[in-house]
Amino acid sequence: MGGSVTQRDVAEHCGVTVGTVSLALREDPRISRATTQRIQAAAKELGYDPARHDVARRLISLRYGTRASTRIVALILPPKFARSAYFTAIFEGVLEELTAQQYTLVTAYADAVDGTIVRLPPVFSHGDVDGLILTELPEELPPLLDHLRANTHFGDRPIVNLIHRVSACSTVISDDETGAYHAASHLLDLGHRHLLQFVGNPLRDLEARRLAGLRRALEARGLDPAAHLATYPLRLGWTRPETAVKSLAELAAAYPAATVDHDFIAYLRAHPEITALLASNDANALHAWYTLSRAGWRVPDDYSLIGHDDTEPMLDTYGENLLTTVRMPLVELGREGARLILRRIAADGDRDEHRVVPTELVVRRSTGIPRAAAP
């Protein structure tokens, strides 16, 4: 065919609508496999070039002040996310889902000074993305959203925030309240009656949900949370996996990269009724395990210990993970975030949506009966 082949040419050739061609070229499940294959074969035969078509469509849209899809989604992650099992799992889920839907994923990060966004990658200012997925803390999200909404080339494009629930955009979170409930129930069933939860910011939605789950488990057994649940502030650096002891061999060797929180040891000695600890994440649990070991206490003989996320193991001499933890479905959370951003892109202008994915308690060998109940 002479000139540039369009989707309308393919539609006329196949005797279907342009919308059907568009869906078939994206392998949308609403179109039968046979029809998809027939349309894709015809497009190839006619010489249809989707890249050339998209560029032309975008130029026309810009000329008339309308929006054309780029089939590009941006994902803002911490600059060194590739070193984190937590964030690489989220990235894997987002990438898998977007790739399956023939979207391009662009990873980016935002520069900020004193909470003010000072720079974003050019894909935002050039209008090159259809939507954005984030993993921002609630207190850090407003300035970024304000910056994006004020950009005429981003404007009201859909945004999905993962992990933390906020009201300003769509969200996908894990069911941390139920996860904490099952973790506390497991400890209470073992005979523990006084629990300690590490807390960074109790006003943050994620931590508030976890505390609500712990309180619910205690109340279900007739225990007053005010008397049976203690909280301890997270020490700076205790959530960082790169400085945490990750094996019993390292514990025995007094791994030098970890630091001991003597205040925490003193707190536990002042509260001997506490027999079980619940961490903010697995790295936090590993730092706590190291500190307990340096004080002469053993896990789980003296203290039961539960992590949260299932990304950082404590390995025994056989390479088996010992840490009981609440498994966050990070890959599935990334997939659901991608599915949600695509729904929001397709439903341009519709209301924000909020999704919750389930967690799972994984019981290993860092929890046991409390020392007072041991025979």
Side-chain angles (χ1 to χ4, degrees):
M1 297 181 65
S4 175
V5 179
T6 68
Q7 289 187 8
R8 184 172 298 280
D9 296 324
V10 178
E12 291 176 354
H13 181 84
C14 295
V16 297
T17 66
V18 174
T20 299
V21 170
S22 177
L23 293 173
L25 293 175
R26 299 200 304 268
E27 297 188 352
D28 191 290
R30 289 173 288 181
I31 306 301
S32 71
R33 186 60 185 162
T35 301
T36 294
Q37 291 176 341
R38 181 167 66 90
I39 291 173
Q40 289 181 347
K44 183 177 181 181
E45 177 187 345
L46 295 173
Y48 172 74
D49 183 355
R52 183 174 180 178
H53 172 74
D54 288 343
V55 170
R57 185 158 50 88
R58 287 193 63 205
L59 289 173
I60 293 172
S61 296
L62 287 173
R63 182 183 304 170
Y64 292 99
T66 60
R67 179 184 300 174
S69 173
T70 63
R71 301 190 69 78
I72 297 173
V73 170
L75 172 64
I76 291 183
L77 289 171
K80 297 180 180 179
F81 81 90
R83 301 181 185 180
S84 165
Y86 185 96
F87 287 110
T88 53
I90 293 174
F91 173 79
E92 177 186 341
V94 173
L95 181 62
E96 284 180 358
E97 190 66 29
L98 290 179
T99 301
Q101 299 302 321
Q102 298 185 336
Y103 268 72
T104 297
L105 176 64
V106 173
T107 54
Y109 67 95
D111 289 338
V113 175
D114 296 330
T116 301
I117 303 300
V118 295
R119 184 174 61 183
L120 284 170
V123 291
F124 295 98
S125 58
H126 294 171
D128 291 333
V129 299
D130 287 341
L132 172 63
I133 301 174
L134 302 157
T135 59
E136 294 294 314
L137 296 172
E139 61 268 28
E140 297 175 1
L141 190 58
L144 178 55
L145 292 183
D146 291 344
H147 185 85
L148 288 167
R149 297 306 186 202
N151 187 317
T152 56
H153 291 290
F154 188 88
D156 61 351
R157 282 172 169 79
I159 298 174
V160 173
N161 197 51
L162 306 180
I163 307 298
H164 301 278
R165 183 168 54 193
V166 294
S167 59
C169 63
S170 296
T171 58
V172 179
I173 62 173
S174 56
D175 192 354
D176 294 283
E177 179 175 343
T178 299
Y181 172 83
H182 288 312
S185 297
H186 169 63
L187 294 169
L188 295 169
D189 289 345
L190 289 171
H192 297 274
R193 288 297 177 267
H194 291 272
L195 316 179
L196 179 145
Q197 170 72 53
F198 289 94
V199 175
N201 183 350
L203 300 179
R204 190 176 293 158
D205 172 71
L206 181 146
E207 298 191 75
R209 285 186 277 119
R210 292 181 184 177
L211 288 170
L214 300 180
R215 295 188 186 101
R216 184 156 58 89
L218 288 164
E219 290 169 349
R221 287 157 177 79
L223 301 174
D224 180 7
H228 293 267
L229 176 61
T231 58
Y232 191 84
L234 270 173
R235 177 181 175 140
L236 183 65
W238 267 37
T239 58
R240 294 172 54 191
E242 64 269 24
T243 59
V245 171
K246 296 181 177 64
S247 72
L248 295 182
E250 289 178 344
L251 281 176
Y255 188 61
T259 56
V260 177
D261 187 336
H262 296 286
D263 291 337
F264 179 56
I265 294 173
Y267 179 87
L268 291 180
R269 286 177 174 156
H271 297 276
E273 72 280 5
I274 295 173
T275 58
L277 315 177
L278 298 111
S280 175
N281 63 3
D282 283 2
N284 175 200
L286 300 187
H287 280 285
W289 199 323
Y290 170 80
T291 298
L292 293 172
S293 177
R294 288 297 301 268
W297 291 314
R298 294 178 299 171
V299 175
D301 298 337
D302 297 303
Y303 288 95
S304 284
L305 180 62
I306 297 183
H308 201 115
D309 62 31
D310 200 27
T311 61
E312 300 295 331
M314 172 61 82
L315 302 177
D316 65 9
T317 54
Y318 300 100
E320 180 181 351
N321 188 6
L322 302 173
L323 182 61
T324 296
T325 190
V326 176
R327 176 178 292 160
M328 297 176 67
L330 296 170
V331 174
E332 177 56 29
L333 192 140
R335 291 194 189 106
E336 183 57 30
R339 288 191 286 264
L340 179 51
I341 198 71
L342 294 181
R343 285 198 297 273
R344 293 286 293 109
I345 291 169
D348 188 21
D350 278 7
R351 294 182 302 174
D352 284 319
E353 300 178 44
H354 304 278
R355 297 284 181 267
V356 180
V357 293
T359 54
E360 175 190 1
L361 178 66
V362 182
V363 177
R364 299 190 179 104
R365 288 189 282 156
S366 66
T367 51
I369 60 175
R371 53 182 176 263

